[in-house]
Every structure is written in structure tokens, then in C-alpha cells.
Amino acid sequence: MSITAAAVKKAAAVLLPKKKVRKAIGFAAAFLITLALLPVMLLLAMGHQLTKAEDEYGNIDFSQFMQSLSPEQKERFSQMEEDGKAIEKEMEKLGIKDMIVKAQIIYLTYFDDVHKDEDFFAEYCSLFKENDNEKLIENLGSKYNLSIDYSEFMRSYSVIVNVSINPYLFVNFDLKNNIDLSVWAENAYKTQWGCVPHTDGSLLTDEKYKALKEKYPQDITADCGKWLSRRTVDNYNLLRSYLWYDHESGTISEDNYPISDMTVQELFDSADVKGNIETLPQTKGIAVLKENTIGIYVGNGNAIYAKSAEDGIVKENISAGGWTSWFEIPWIQYGDEKSFGNEIKFEEYDAKKKNNLGLVQWAIQAHENGWGYVYGTYGNVLTESLLQDRAAVFGSEVTSYMDFIRSNWLGKRTADCIGLIKGYGWYDSKSGEIKVGSNGMADVGANGMFAAAEVKGTIDTIPEVPGLAVWSDGHIGIYIGNGEVIEAMNTLRGVTRTKLAGREWTHWLQIPYISYVEEKE
């Protein structure tokens, strides 16, 4: 595939000027690996797919590639990555995550020589509230005195969005859910995926197209060829491609998410929740059927499905006719967006100093976002590998509840009682990471926390200070004021909000690893 994007030229010029490097590992492959390192996560997905397709370049030793860069190139690389993260942070504040990749691409391509003061990224990102691409480019050019050719940009941008999957569109990649399935279908429709039999959502390369024609000569018609260099699926695989997609590797493979090999009708028969089309609920991500054709309901009366090699992915109103029934897909979880979100968002009182008021806000967001409970965890997203690790370390405290945990907490953030507190202490607001042992917060249990406290007392003497901890032997919670406590209660309950009175608390304490401050006036 030929990529002529301005972003490609820019990154190649900056990071791969050495002919011997390009010759050693293959220019195209080296460049794609370079893109994968940039903060442009959309390009990361593209890089994985194209690297896989262009495997004649062989395996690339990434560490060797990085060592080949000069100190100046490495410094430039680090600055690009840092700037990309700054853009991501500002766009999230503005609530326009779906525009992050566009903002990063434009910045990395055109803004080398633009002066950047303290307010640059906030002002730059605010311009992306404009949804009209032509007006956006015009506004950027005017504000920063840049000459950005709209047609050139759109050609470059189209290449990227048509072969890539924007991770910022999704609420939770670690948990297969109906909200993200709906987004997956919308993205396939908007970025004009094709419909080609026996394809799974990966890029349709010349080699793959040739192989399909040889293997399925009756199915691969002349219309299929027009989808070359785009992502393609067949009808059933629009659903299954979402299940098979792994965001970390950027690959779509049956090995990523094994599912039973049943027909569409067998899948419908296996569903516990279903009905005729007249009773269709307004639940995004529900499957709809007409004969052997399956579609994804995306709301507002519309379904998206892979129709034919001629039409590709289409959006059709249910009222257009033909749809007979609906069902909840057994392979995914259903709920609203809030049920699956796992981002940490809260008003931190002072990012430089851990304190009681920040802890209160931390606890409130954990409760509001439905954090679960797994013994030995402290706020990270629960993956299968993390679950297995905690089971190996803590035994029956985890293994006794494995089925429940997988059904309810996998893909969500989890903490145990002390982990809810330690997670706040270890949280780095700049990186969004929870780093064990950081910020002076000791890695102790509930009883160790109580023993280390210098200021404490019996529960009947608790002062009205939000952010105190409340304690009983082996358990700890966070007093948030007004007679209420937030605690990671147990595996079955998760993070809950309870009344102080009537619980088993025996003592209160000031957490020794944070400061105590008064509310801002």
C-alpha cells in the first residue's frame, strides 16, 4: 500500500534519515514501527496491520532500531511523545476524545516551527470543538499563520482513518460490551469498510485478495476488488471482528477471543434475552436479524450491517423492513456507558501533595464508576493476567470467587479495602498510572495502616473531617463526611457507599502517609 500522508513524510524525515537504517530493516517497516511509537494511537493500529501485511521485511528488532537513532533524534522523539500526551490530556478535559488523533496528526505534521507558550496546548485543542474539517483547517491556519492545504490533509487523514481503529472512541477495550460493539459498527460504517466474504475486519491486501479468489472463486466477485487497501468483513464477522480485536497488538484474530463456531441462527437460539422486532428495546449493541443476515442496532431506529460486496457496510432504519427479531449477544456484557468506563477522573485538591480532600474525591469517583473488589488490587483495570497473578499470590481470597469476578469485575477497576486508599496515594495524575510505593504511601495492610497512625481514636470520638479513615480489625474505609463512608467492602459488593452508623467500625485515624487540609473557601 502506498502512503503519501504528510505525517508520514514528516516522521520519516525526522526519525529515519540514515540510509543504512532504512536498508537494514526496510524503510516501510521501519517507518511503521516509528509510527507505532508516536502518541498517535490511531497510527499505532495502522502500523500493526501494515507490518503484518508487509511481512516480507521479516521481524524487526525494535531495541536495535532505537539504538540506531542519534541523541538528537531520540530527544526529538521524546518531545513528540510528550507533546502528544499533552494534547490527549487537554482533549479529554474538553470532552472531545474522538478528536484526539486528528489533533495529534495535525500537530505532528505542521507545527514544528510554531512557538508554544504555556497556554499553547489548551488554546490549540479548543479549536477542535469545530466539527467541520474545512473550517477547522481554516481556523488553525489563521490562528497560527500556517499554510495547510485542506485537500492534502484530507487525503492523508482519510488514508489513516480508513485503515485504522481509533481507540479513543471506545469506553473499555478490556471488557467486551454492547456500547463498544455499537461504536465498532458505527466506526466501520463511517470509515467505509467493505464487505468481502471470508474476511474478518483486517486490511484487504493484494496478497490476501489473491488468496481469497483462489480459495473461494464463487464468492469473491469483481465487486470485492474495489475494497482493496481497506478493512473488510463479511456479514457475520462485523460482530465477530469486534470480539476478535485486541487493542494492544492491533490485530484481529480468532486466537484473541475464542468463541464457539455456531451459525447466526444458532447464536440467536442460544440467547437468553430476545424477542420479535416489534418489541426491540432502545439498547445499543443488540443484534437484529432478518433471515440469515445479522445487524448491530446503534440507536435511533438504525442498524448497521455488512450488506454486500457492492454496498459494503450500510446503516439502515429498522422500519425499512425485513428485520424480524432481536437478541442480546451471549458473548458480551450489556449495560450503559457508565457501567463499563474505567477512566480515573476526579477533581484532585492538589496534584503535588496527597491529602484528605483528594482522597475523598478519589473514593467518590471509584464508587460512581462502579469499581469492583478483588483482594490484593489497588485501582488498576482487572485483566485476566492480573486476576491470575492475584490468585497465585493470595489463594482462596481470590480463587473462591473466580467465576463471580470474571462475570462482574473483569475489565473494570478493582481494589480491596486498603487498596482503595493506597491506589490514591500511588496515583500519578500526569501519567494516569498507579505506581506501587510512590508518593510516600507505604505498602501496608489495613492493620498496618492503623498501627502507623499517630492521630486516631475510638469511633465515638470521630471528628467531622472528610478523608479520615475508619477501621475495624482487618478492614478499613474512607469517611467522606456527613456521616457517610466509601469502602471496598468485599468481592460480592465492590466499592460501596454506606452510613457510618450501624457498621462494625471501632476506630478512626488520620492516614499517616497523606496531609490533612481544610476545604477551600
Side-chain angles (χ1 to χ4, degrees), residues 92-93 344-351 353-366 368-369 424 427 429 519-520:
E92 287 181 340
K93 285 182 184 177
I344 295 174
K345 290 184 178 180
F346 71 109
E347 293 294 328
E348 196 166 9
Y349 182 85
D350 184 350
K353 193 173 186 180
K354 299 297 178 178
N355 58 78
N356 57 310
L357 299 182
L359 175 62
V360 168
Q361 295 306 314
W362 172 268
I364 290 173
Q365 66 84 28
E368 290 181 345
N369 290 319
Y424 166 70
Y427 176 66
S429 59
E519 300 262 10
K520 289 181 179 178

PDB file of all heavy atoms in Angstrom, residues 92-93 344-351 353-366 368-369 424 427 429 519-520:
ATOM      1  N   GLU A  92      -9.172  15.462  26.470  1.00  0.00           N
ATOM      2  CA  GLU A  92     -10.024  14.761  27.429  1.00  0.00           C
ATOM      3  C   GLU A  92     -10.720  15.750  28.350  1.00  0.00           C
ATOM      4  O   GLU A  92     -11.887  15.574  28.692  1.00  0.00           O
ATOM      5  CB  GLU A  92      -9.196  13.756  28.228  1.00  0.00           C
ATOM      6  CG  GLU A  92      -8.800  12.526  27.411  1.00  0.00           C
ATOM      7  CD  GLU A  92      -8.002  11.525  28.213  1.00  0.00           C
ATOM      8  OE1 GLU A  92      -7.431  11.912  29.261  1.00  0.00           O
ATOM      9  OE2 GLU A  92      -7.937  10.351  27.800  1.00  0.00           O
ATOM     10  N   LYS A  93     -10.010  16.805  28.750  1.00  0.00           N
ATOM     11  CA  LYS A  93     -10.629  17.846  29.580  1.00  0.00           C
ATOM     12  C   LYS A  93     -11.808  18.493  28.863  1.00  0.00           C
ATOM     13  O   LYS A  93     -12.816  18.827  29.469  1.00  0.00           O
ATOM     14  CB  LYS A  93      -9.590  18.924  29.924  1.00  0.00           C
ATOM     15  CG  LYS A  93      -8.566  18.541  30.966  1.00  0.00           C
ATOM     16  CD  LYS A  93      -7.642  19.718  31.231  1.00  0.00           C
ATOM     17  CE  LYS A  93      -6.536  19.378  32.196  1.00  0.00           C
ATOM     18  NZ  LYS A  93      -5.600  20.522  32.389  1.00  0.00           N
ATOM     19  N   ILE A 344     -10.016   7.185  35.246  1.00  0.00           N
ATOM     20  CA  ILE A 344      -9.974   7.869  36.537  1.00  0.00           C
ATOM     21  C   ILE A 344     -10.113   9.365  36.272  1.00  0.00           C
ATOM     22  O   ILE A 344      -9.228   9.983  35.684  1.00  0.00           O
ATOM     23  CB  ILE A 344      -8.662   7.569  37.280  1.00  0.00           C
ATOM     24  CG1 ILE A 344      -8.591   6.075  37.632  1.00  0.00           C
ATOM     25  CG2 ILE A 344      -8.551   8.421  38.545  1.00  0.00           C
ATOM     26  CD1 ILE A 344      -7.275   5.651  38.250  1.00  0.00           C
ATOM     27  N   LYS A 345     -11.220   9.924  36.704  1.00  0.00           N
ATOM     28  CA  LYS A 345     -11.461  11.356  36.523  1.00  0.00           C
ATOM     29  C   LYS A 345     -11.987  11.923  37.833  1.00  0.00           C
ATOM     30  O   LYS A 345     -13.046  11.525  38.307  1.00  0.00           O
ATOM     31  CB  LYS A 345     -12.482  11.606  35.416  1.00  0.00           C
ATOM     32  CG  LYS A 345     -12.000  11.291  34.012  1.00  0.00           C
ATOM     33  CD  LYS A 345     -13.051  11.667  32.991  1.00  0.00           C
ATOM     34  CE  LYS A 345     -12.568  11.410  31.575  1.00  0.00           C
ATOM     35  NZ  LYS A 345     -13.592  11.771  30.565  1.00  0.00           N
ATOM     36  N   PHE A 346     -11.229  12.830  38.428  1.00  0.00           N
ATOM     37  CA  PHE A 346     -11.700  13.463  39.649  1.00  0.00           C
ATOM     38  C   PHE A 346     -10.974  14.780  39.865  1.00  0.00           C
ATOM     39  O   PHE A 346      -9.898  15.001  39.322  1.00  0.00           O
ATOM     40  CB  PHE A 346     -11.522  12.532  40.856  1.00  0.00           C
ATOM     41  CG  PHE A 346     -10.091  12.333  41.292  1.00  0.00           C
ATOM     42  CD1 PHE A 346      -9.635  12.881  42.479  1.00  0.00           C
ATOM     43  CD2 PHE A 346      -9.204  11.586  40.538  1.00  0.00           C
ATOM     44  CE1 PHE A 346      -8.322  12.696  42.900  1.00  0.00           C
ATOM     45  CE2 PHE A 346      -7.899  11.386  40.944  1.00  0.00           C
ATOM     46  CZ  PHE A 346      -7.458  11.947  42.137  1.00  0.00           C
ATOM     47  N   GLU A 347     -11.599  15.651  40.634  1.00  0.00           N
ATOM     48  CA  GLU A 347     -11.009  16.951  40.933  1.00  0.00           C
ATOM     49  C   GLU A 347     -10.026  16.789  42.088  1.00  0.00           C
ATOM     50  O   GLU A 347     -10.410  16.738  43.255  1.00  0.00           O
ATOM     51  CB  GLU A 347     -12.105  17.958  41.298  1.00  0.00           C
ATOM     52  CG  GLU A 347     -13.034  18.311  40.153  1.00  0.00           C
ATOM     53  CD  GLU A 347     -12.299  19.059  39.048  1.00  0.00           C
ATOM     54  OE1 GLU A 347     -11.353  19.798  39.368  1.00  0.00           O
ATOM     55  OE2 GLU A 347     -12.673  18.876  37.878  1.00  0.00           O
ATOM     56  N   GLU A 348      -8.768  16.657  41.739  1.00  0.00           N
ATOM     57  CA  GLU A 348      -7.750  16.468  42.767  1.00  0.00           C
ATOM     58  C   GLU A 348      -7.441  17.801  43.441  1.00  0.00           C
ATOM     59  O   GLU A 348      -7.175  18.797  42.769  1.00  0.00           O
ATOM     60  CB  GLU A 348      -6.484  15.869  42.138  1.00  0.00           C
ATOM     61  CG  GLU A 348      -5.538  15.294  43.153  1.00  0.00           C
ATOM     62  CD  GLU A 348      -4.474  14.404  42.509  1.00  0.00           C
ATOM     63  OE1 GLU A 348      -4.377  14.383  41.273  1.00  0.00           O
ATOM     64  OE2 GLU A 348      -3.752  13.732  43.256  1.00  0.00           O
ATOM     65  N   TYR A 349      -7.477  17.811  44.757  1.00  0.00           N
ATOM     66  CA  TYR A 349      -7.278  19.052  45.505  1.00  0.00           C
ATOM     67  C   TYR A 349      -5.906  19.649  45.234  1.00  0.00           C
ATOM     68  O   TYR A 349      -5.770  20.842  45.005  1.00  0.00           O
ATOM     69  CB  TYR A 349      -7.436  18.772  47.007  1.00  0.00           C
ATOM     70  CG  TYR A 349      -7.290  20.002  47.885  1.00  0.00           C
ATOM     71  CD1 TYR A 349      -8.370  20.840  48.120  1.00  0.00           C
ATOM     72  CD2 TYR A 349      -6.068  20.314  48.465  1.00  0.00           C
ATOM     73  CE1 TYR A 349      -8.234  21.966  48.923  1.00  0.00           C
ATOM     74  CE2 TYR A 349      -5.919  21.433  49.263  1.00  0.00           C
ATOM     75  CZ  TYR A 349      -7.009  22.266  49.489  1.00  0.00           C
ATOM     76  OH  TYR A 349      -6.874  23.371  50.271  1.00  0.00           O
ATOM     77  N   ASP A 350      -4.893  18.823  45.228  1.00  0.00           N
ATOM     78  CA  ASP A 350      -3.528  19.280  44.983  1.00  0.00           C
ATOM     79  C   ASP A 350      -2.737  18.109  44.402  1.00  0.00           C
ATOM     80  O   ASP A 350      -2.405  17.167  45.118  1.00  0.00           O
ATOM     81  CB  ASP A 350      -2.871  19.765  46.274  1.00  0.00           C
ATOM     82  CG  ASP A 350      -1.481  20.348  46.053  1.00  0.00           C
ATOM     83  OD1 ASP A 350      -0.949  20.199  44.933  1.00  0.00           O
ATOM     84  OD2 ASP A 350      -0.930  20.950  46.987  1.00  0.00           O
ATOM     85  N   ALA A 351      -2.461  18.160  43.103  1.00  0.00           N
ATOM     86  CA  ALA A 351      -1.788  17.048  42.435  1.00  0.00           C
ATOM     87  C   ALA A 351      -0.377  16.823  42.966  1.00  0.00           C
ATOM     88  O   ALA A 351       0.190  15.744  42.799  1.00  0.00           O
ATOM     89  CB  ALA A 351      -1.752  17.298  40.923  1.00  0.00           C
ATOM     90  N   LYS A 353       0.516  17.148  46.201  1.00  0.00           N
ATOM     91  CA  LYS A 353       0.561  16.765  47.602  1.00  0.00           C
ATOM     92  C   LYS A 353      -0.668  15.932  47.947  1.00  0.00           C
ATOM     93  O   LYS A 353      -1.793  16.418  47.882  1.00  0.00           O
ATOM     94  CB  LYS A 353       0.618  18.017  48.484  1.00  0.00           C
ATOM     95  CG  LYS A 353       0.970  17.744  49.938  1.00  0.00           C
ATOM     96  CD  LYS A 353       1.181  19.052  50.689  1.00  0.00           C
ATOM     97  CE  LYS A 353       1.668  18.791  52.116  1.00  0.00           C
ATOM     98  NZ  LYS A 353       1.875  20.057  52.855  1.00  0.00           N
ATOM     99  N   LYS A 354      -0.461  14.687  48.294  1.00  0.00           N
ATOM    100  CA  LYS A 354      -1.573  13.808  48.639  1.00  0.00           C
ATOM    101  C   LYS A 354      -2.199  14.259  49.960  1.00  0.00           C
ATOM    102  O   LYS A 354      -1.491  14.489  50.942  1.00  0.00           O
ATOM    103  CB  LYS A 354      -1.091  12.360  48.748  1.00  0.00           C
ATOM    104  CG  LYS A 354      -0.509  11.808  47.453  1.00  0.00           C
ATOM    105  CD  LYS A 354      -1.557  11.761  46.353  1.00  0.00           C
ATOM    106  CE  LYS A 354      -0.987  11.261  45.054  1.00  0.00           C
ATOM    107  NZ  LYS A 354      -1.994  11.160  43.980  1.00  0.00           N
ATOM    108  N   ASN A 355      -3.524  14.367  49.959  1.00  0.00           N
ATOM    109  CA  ASN A 355      -4.204  14.911  51.129  1.00  0.00           C
ATOM    110  C   ASN A 355      -5.601  14.317  51.267  1.00  0.00           C
ATOM    111  O   ASN A 355      -6.095  13.618  50.377  1.00  0.00           O
ATOM    112  CB  ASN A 355      -4.275  16.432  51.028  1.00  0.00           C
ATOM    113  CG  ASN A 355      -4.995  16.871  49.771  1.00  0.00           C
ATOM    114  OD1 ASN A 355      -6.228  16.826  49.716  1.00  0.00           O
ATOM    115  ND2 ASN A 355      -4.248  17.263  48.739  1.00  0.00           N
ATOM    116  N   ASN A 356      -6.232  14.626  52.393  1.00  0.00           N
ATOM    117  CA  ASN A 356      -7.535  14.039  52.720  1.00  0.00           C
ATOM    118  C   ASN A 356      -8.634  14.417  51.736  1.00  0.00           C
ATOM    119  O   ASN A 356      -9.511  13.596  51.410  1.00  0.00           O
ATOM    120  CB  ASN A 356      -7.945  14.432  54.135  1.00  0.00           C
ATOM    121  CG  ASN A 356      -8.002  15.941  54.349  1.00  0.00           C
ATOM    122  OD1 ASN A 356      -7.047  16.648  54.007  1.00  0.00           O
ATOM    123  ND2 ASN A 356      -9.093  16.442  54.910  1.00  0.00           N
ATOM    124  N   LEU A 357      -8.618  15.646  51.231  1.00  0.00           N
ATOM    125  CA  LEU A 357      -9.682  16.084  50.328  1.00  0.00           C
ATOM    126  C   LEU A 357      -9.553  15.418  48.963  1.00  0.00           C
ATOM    127  O   LEU A 357     -10.552  15.085  48.322  1.00  0.00           O
ATOM    128  CB  LEU A 357      -9.664  17.604  50.197  1.00  0.00           C
ATOM    129  CG  LEU A 357      -9.881  18.375  51.503  1.00  0.00           C
ATOM    130  CD1 LEU A 357      -9.893  19.873  51.249  1.00  0.00           C
ATOM    131  CD2 LEU A 357     -11.172  17.939  52.184  1.00  0.00           C
ATOM    132  N   GLY A 358      -8.314  15.225  48.520  1.00  0.00           N
ATOM    133  CA  GLY A 358      -8.115  14.478  47.287  1.00  0.00           C
ATOM    134  C   GLY A 358      -8.559  13.033  47.435  1.00  0.00           C
ATOM    135  O   GLY A 358      -9.151  12.452  46.519  1.00  0.00           O
ATOM    136  N   LEU A 359      -8.304  12.454  48.603  1.00  0.00           N
ATOM    137  CA  LEU A 359      -8.721  11.081  48.863  1.00  0.00           C
ATOM    138  C   LEU A 359     -10.236  10.941  48.798  1.00  0.00           C
ATOM    139  O   LEU A 359     -10.752   9.951  48.267  1.00  0.00           O
ATOM    140  CB  LEU A 359      -8.206  10.639  50.242  1.00  0.00           C
ATOM    141  CG  LEU A 359      -8.654   9.254  50.706  1.00  0.00           C
ATOM    142  CD1 LEU A 359      -8.140   8.165  49.765  1.00  0.00           C
ATOM    143  CD2 LEU A 359      -8.192   8.998  52.143  1.00  0.00           C
ATOM    144  N   VAL A 360     -10.947  11.924  49.330  1.00  0.00           N
ATOM    145  CA  VAL A 360     -12.416  11.887  49.291  1.00  0.00           C
ATOM    146  C   VAL A 360     -12.905  11.867  47.848  1.00  0.00           C
ATOM    147  O   VAL A 360     -13.784  11.077  47.483  1.00  0.00           O
ATOM    148  CB  VAL A 360     -13.006  13.081  50.062  1.00  0.00           C
ATOM    149  CG1 VAL A 360     -14.497  13.224  49.780  1.00  0.00           C
ATOM    150  CG2 VAL A 360     -12.766  12.911  51.558  1.00  0.00           C
ATOM    151  N   GLN A 361     -12.361  12.744  47.026  1.00  0.00           N
ATOM    152  CA  GLN A 361     -12.776  12.794  45.622  1.00  0.00           C
ATOM    153  C   GLN A 361     -12.411  11.494  44.893  1.00  0.00           C
ATOM    154  O   GLN A 361     -13.162  11.017  44.034  1.00  0.00           O
ATOM    155  CB  GLN A 361     -12.136  13.996  44.918  1.00  0.00           C
ATOM    156  CG  GLN A 361     -12.605  15.334  45.458  1.00  0.00           C
ATOM    157  CD  GLN A 361     -14.121  15.456  45.451  1.00  0.00           C
ATOM    158  OE1 GLN A 361     -14.767  15.131  44.464  1.00  0.00           O
ATOM    159  NE2 GLN A 361     -14.688  15.914  46.548  1.00  0.00           N
ATOM    160  N   TRP A 362     -11.270  10.941  45.238  1.00  0.00           N
ATOM    161  CA  TRP A 362     -10.850   9.663  44.673  1.00  0.00           C
ATOM    162  C   TRP A 362     -11.871   8.570  45.007  1.00  0.00           C
ATOM    163  O   TRP A 362     -12.291   7.794  44.147  1.00  0.00           O
ATOM    164  CB  TRP A 362      -9.484   9.295  45.238  1.00  0.00           C
ATOM    165  CG  TRP A 362      -8.977   7.918  44.916  1.00  0.00           C
ATOM    166  CD1 TRP A 362      -9.140   6.782  45.661  1.00  0.00           C
ATOM    167  CD2 TRP A 362      -8.197   7.530  43.777  1.00  0.00           C
ATOM    168  NE1 TRP A 362      -8.512   5.718  45.066  1.00  0.00           N
ATOM    169  CE2 TRP A 362      -7.931   6.148  43.906  1.00  0.00           C
ATOM    170  CE3 TRP A 362      -7.694   8.206  42.680  1.00  0.00           C
ATOM    171  CZ2 TRP A 362      -7.193   5.437  42.969  1.00  0.00           C
ATOM    172  CZ3 TRP A 362      -6.952   7.509  41.739  1.00  0.00           C
ATOM    173  CH2 TRP A 362      -6.703   6.145  41.889  1.00  0.00           C
ATOM    174  N   ALA A 363     -12.267   8.511  46.271  1.00  0.00           N
ATOM    175  CA  ALA A 363     -13.213   7.491  46.709  1.00  0.00           C
ATOM    176  C   ALA A 363     -14.571   7.673  46.034  1.00  0.00           C
ATOM    177  O   ALA A 363     -15.205   6.687  45.621  1.00  0.00           O
ATOM    178  CB  ALA A 363     -13.361   7.547  48.226  1.00  0.00           C
ATOM    179  N   ILE A 364     -15.004   8.923  45.901  1.00  0.00           N
ATOM    180  CA  ILE A 364     -16.306   9.189  45.274  1.00  0.00           C
ATOM    181  C   ILE A 364     -16.307   8.736  43.814  1.00  0.00           C
ATOM    182  O   ILE A 364     -17.259   8.092  43.357  1.00  0.00           O
ATOM    183  CB  ILE A 364     -16.671  10.678  45.402  1.00  0.00           C
ATOM    184  CG1 ILE A 364     -16.989  11.021  46.870  1.00  0.00           C
ATOM    185  CG2 ILE A 364     -17.850  11.030  44.503  1.00  0.00           C
ATOM    186  CD1 ILE A 364     -17.187  12.494  47.130  1.00  0.00           C
ATOM    187  N   GLN A 365     -15.237   9.048  43.073  1.00  0.00           N
ATOM    188  CA  GLN A 365     -15.210   8.638  41.664  1.00  0.00           C
ATOM    189  C   GLN A 365     -15.133   7.117  41.541  1.00  0.00           C
ATOM    190  O   GLN A 365     -15.700   6.533  40.610  1.00  0.00           O
ATOM    191  CB  GLN A 365     -14.072   9.323  40.901  1.00  0.00           C
ATOM    192  CG  GLN A 365     -12.662   8.967  41.299  1.00  0.00           C
ATOM    193  CD  GLN A 365     -12.127   7.697  40.652  1.00  0.00           C
ATOM    194  OE1 GLN A 365     -12.549   7.333  39.559  1.00  0.00           O
ATOM    195  NE2 GLN A 365     -11.230   6.999  41.340  1.00  0.00           N
ATOM    196  N   ALA A 366     -14.445   6.455  42.468  1.00  0.00           N
ATOM    197  CA  ALA A 366     -14.373   4.992  42.427  1.00  0.00           C
ATOM    198  C   ALA A 366     -15.757   4.385  42.613  1.00  0.00           C
ATOM    199  O   ALA A 366     -16.146   3.437  41.920  1.00  0.00           O
ATOM    200  CB  ALA A 366     -13.411   4.479  43.493  1.00  0.00           C
ATOM    201  N   GLU A 368     -18.722   5.983  42.093  1.00  0.00           N
ATOM    202  CA  GLU A 368     -19.591   6.383  40.989  1.00  0.00           C
ATOM    203  C   GLU A 368     -19.287   5.614  39.709  1.00  0.00           C
ATOM    204  O   GLU A 368     -20.174   5.399  38.881  1.00  0.00           O
ATOM    205  CB  GLU A 368     -19.470   7.886  40.744  1.00  0.00           C
ATOM    206  CG  GLU A 368     -20.090   8.721  41.857  1.00  0.00           C
ATOM    207  CD  GLU A 368     -20.000  10.212  41.596  1.00  0.00           C
ATOM    208  OE1 GLU A 368     -19.211  10.615  40.702  1.00  0.00           O
ATOM    209  OE2 GLU A 368     -20.693  10.970  42.285  1.00  0.00           O
ATOM    210  N   ASN A 369     -18.040   5.197  39.533  1.00  0.00           N
ATOM    211  CA  ASN A 369     -17.651   4.451  38.336  1.00  0.00           C
ATOM    212  C   ASN A 369     -17.753   2.945  38.513  1.00  0.00           C
ATOM    213  O   ASN A 369     -17.338   2.185  37.635  1.00  0.00           O
ATOM    214  CB  ASN A 369     -16.235   4.834  37.904  1.00  0.00           C
ATOM    215  CG  ASN A 369     -16.171   6.247  37.340  1.00  0.00           C
ATOM    216  OD1 ASN A 369     -17.045   6.661  36.602  1.00  0.00           O
ATOM    217  ND2 ASN A 369     -15.131   6.982  37.717  1.00  0.00           N
ATOM    218  N   TYR A 424      -4.975   5.715  45.706  1.00  0.00           N
ATOM    219  CA  TYR A 424      -4.925   7.180  45.658  1.00  0.00           C
ATOM    220  C   TYR A 424      -3.513   7.671  45.948  1.00  0.00           C
ATOM    221  O   TYR A 424      -2.983   8.545  45.249  1.00  0.00           O
ATOM    222  CB  TYR A 424      -5.896   7.787  46.661  1.00  0.00           C
ATOM    223  CG  TYR A 424      -5.640   9.259  46.895  1.00  0.00           C
ATOM    224  CD1 TYR A 424      -5.906  10.192  45.895  1.00  0.00           C
ATOM    225  CD2 TYR A 424      -5.079   9.721  48.086  1.00  0.00           C
ATOM    226  CE1 TYR A 424      -5.640  11.549  46.081  1.00  0.00           C
ATOM    227  CE2 TYR A 424      -4.807  11.067  48.284  1.00  0.00           C
ATOM    228  CZ  TYR A 424      -5.092  11.976  47.272  1.00  0.00           C
ATOM    229  OH  TYR A 424      -4.821  13.311  47.446  1.00  0.00           O
ATOM    230  N   TYR A 427      -1.283   7.088  42.945  1.00  0.00           N
ATOM    231  CA  TYR A 427      -1.750   7.577  41.642  1.00  0.00           C
ATOM    232  C   TYR A 427      -0.935   8.779  41.178  1.00  0.00           C
ATOM    233  O   TYR A 427      -0.720   9.725  41.927  1.00  0.00           O
ATOM    234  CB  TYR A 427      -3.221   7.977  41.743  1.00  0.00           C
ATOM    235  CG  TYR A 427      -3.792   8.581  40.485  1.00  0.00           C
ATOM    236  CD1 TYR A 427      -3.932   7.828  39.327  1.00  0.00           C
ATOM    237  CD2 TYR A 427      -4.203   9.906  40.456  1.00  0.00           C
ATOM    238  CE1 TYR A 427      -4.466   8.378  38.165  1.00  0.00           C
ATOM    239  CE2 TYR A 427      -4.741  10.470  39.311  1.00  0.00           C
ATOM    240  CZ  TYR A 427      -4.866   9.702  38.175  1.00  0.00           C
ATOM    241  OH  TYR A 427      -5.395  10.257  37.033  1.00  0.00           O
ATOM    242  N   SER A 429      -1.118  11.703  38.625  1.00  0.00           N
ATOM    243  CA  SER A 429      -2.119  12.380  37.799  1.00  0.00           C
ATOM    244  C   SER A 429      -1.595  12.744  36.415  1.00  0.00           C
ATOM    245  O   SER A 429      -2.377  12.896  35.475  1.00  0.00           O
ATOM    246  CB  SER A 429      -2.622  13.648  38.507  1.00  0.00           C
ATOM    247  OG  SER A 429      -1.549  14.532  38.768  1.00  0.00           O
ATOM    248  N   GLU A 519     -11.015  22.606  53.679  1.00  0.00           N
ATOM    249  CA  GLU A 519     -11.677  22.890  52.406  1.00  0.00           C
ATOM    250  C   GLU A 519     -11.299  24.282  51.914  1.00  0.00           C
ATOM    251  O   GLU A 519     -11.124  25.208  52.698  1.00  0.00           O
ATOM    252  CB  GLU A 519     -13.202  22.819  52.564  1.00  0.00           C
ATOM    253  CG  GLU A 519     -13.704  21.463  53.014  1.00  0.00           C
ATOM    254  CD  GLU A 519     -14.188  20.633  51.859  1.00  0.00           C
ATOM    255  OE1 GLU A 519     -13.948  21.041  50.702  1.00  0.00           O
ATOM    256  OE2 GLU A 519     -14.797  19.589  52.105  1.00  0.00           O
ATOM    257  N   LYS A 520     -11.186  24.445  50.571  1.00  0.00           N
ATOM    258  CA  LYS A 520     -11.001  25.773  50.004  1.00  0.00           C
ATOM    259  C   LYS A 520     -12.271  26.583  50.196  1.00  0.00           C
ATOM    260  O   LYS A 520     -13.378  26.067  50.090  1.00  0.00           O
ATOM    261  CB  LYS A 520     -10.703  25.670  48.511  1.00  0.00           C
ATOM    262  CG  LYS A 520      -9.341  25.109  48.170  1.00  0.00           C
ATOM    263  CD  LYS A 520      -9.167  25.084  46.664  1.00  0.00           C
ATOM    264  CE  LYS A 520      -7.803  24.551  46.280  1.00  0.00           C
ATOM    265  NZ  LYS A 520      -7.636  24.475  44.805  1.00  0.00           N
TER     266      LYS A 520
END
